[in-house]
Each structure stands twice: as C-alpha cells, then as structure tokens.
Amino acid sequence: QLHLVESGGGKVQPGGSLRLSCAPSGFQLDFYSLGWFRQAPGKDREAVSCISTKDGSTYYGDSVKGRFTISRNTVENTVYLQMNSLKPEDTATYYCSVDLYSTAADMCLQAPPPIPGFAAWGQGTQVAVSA
C-alpha cells in the first residue's frame, strides 16, 4: 500500500532548472525520512538529497551542494527537489524513497534500516541535461 508518485523530470539545457515532486501515500507515521537518489547508466546509485521529518535535518551530496534544494510540504508530505544550474553530469534517472530513519544523513547514506523491508521507492523520473 505504501507507494510514491513522482513527477517533474524532463529535458533541459545546461544551466537550466527543474523541480521534481514526490508524493508518498499509504501510511501514517510520527516521523520518517524522504530522499532523492539518482543513477546514470554504468554508474552506481548515489544519494542526491534527503530530509528528515523528525529532526528537520537535510543532507546533500557533494556534487549538488549549492545547486539543489530539498523541501517538503508538511501537510501533504510531498517532497520537492529544486534543481538549478543543471549540468550534463546531472543526467540520470532520479528516484524518490521513504524510510524510517531518524536523520537525513542515515537516509542518504543508507544505514541499516530500522525496520527491514519498510522502504518504498518510486518508479523513477528521467532528467536529461544537454545542449
């Protein structure tokens, strides 16, 4: 029942912007963490940015610091990723995920999960940055 609905991917010129959205549903929790991950062909999945509803912490991967911003609608629990100054290296499939980590760092670093099997992942949305 727990699932995620993503939107916002597309094609953009270098230096352009996109905003990704992710709407989790099917659960009611006191706290949890949400995150964006990406994977390019031939590359490992990497953490982009995460946010915790428990302590309010955020985490950003080194390659996106200063360019991307994660935020959340506290009523709808929708999480956003505002991506500015996009580079060709940002081209990837972006995935949204939810889990029960207490901190954003644990979410993005994929620490051993509090409850194995709880995590849910979205279907992925494609971002392509090229001239």
Side-chain angles (χ1 to χ4, degrees):
Q1 188 175 37
L2 175 62
H3 68 280
L4 304 163
V5 178
E6 299 168 275
S7 63
K11 301 176 182 178
V12 67
Q13 298 282 331
S17 298
L18 287 172
R19 189 177 75 159
L20 307 184
S21 300
C22 174
S25 64
F27 65 96
Q28 293 183 342
L29 300 167
D30 291 333
F31 66 88
Y32 50 91
S33 287
L34 294 153
W36 289 98
F37 299 77
R38 68 186 182 187
Q39 188 167 28
K43 302 290 185 179
D44 292 334
R45 179 182 293 165
E46 66 172 333
V48 178
S49 185
C50 298
I51 186 167
S52 169
T53 68
K54 183 175 183 179
D55 65 4
S57 62
T58 58
Y59 181 97
Y60 293 93
D62 289 342
S63 65
V64 307
K65 288 180 180 177
R67 300 188 298 120
F68 292 8
T69 302
I70 191 169
S71 62
R72 185 174 71 91
N73 181 310
T74 58
V75 175
E76 299 178 352
N77 293 323
T78 301
V79 64
Y80 303 96
L81 184 68
Q82 179 66 46
M83 305 186 294
N84 297 327
S85 302
L86 283 162
K87 305 175 180 179
E89 307 94 270
D90 296 317
T91 297
T93 301
Y94 285 69
Y95 300 90
C96 180
S97 181
V98 61
D99 212 332
L100 298 178
Y101 297 105
S102 296
T103 68
D106 282 347
M107 179 73 188
C108 265
L109 297 174
Q110 292 288 281
I115 301 179
F118 179 86
W121 292 80
Q123 78 284 357
T125 185
Q126 183 66 45
V127 172
V129 185
S130 66

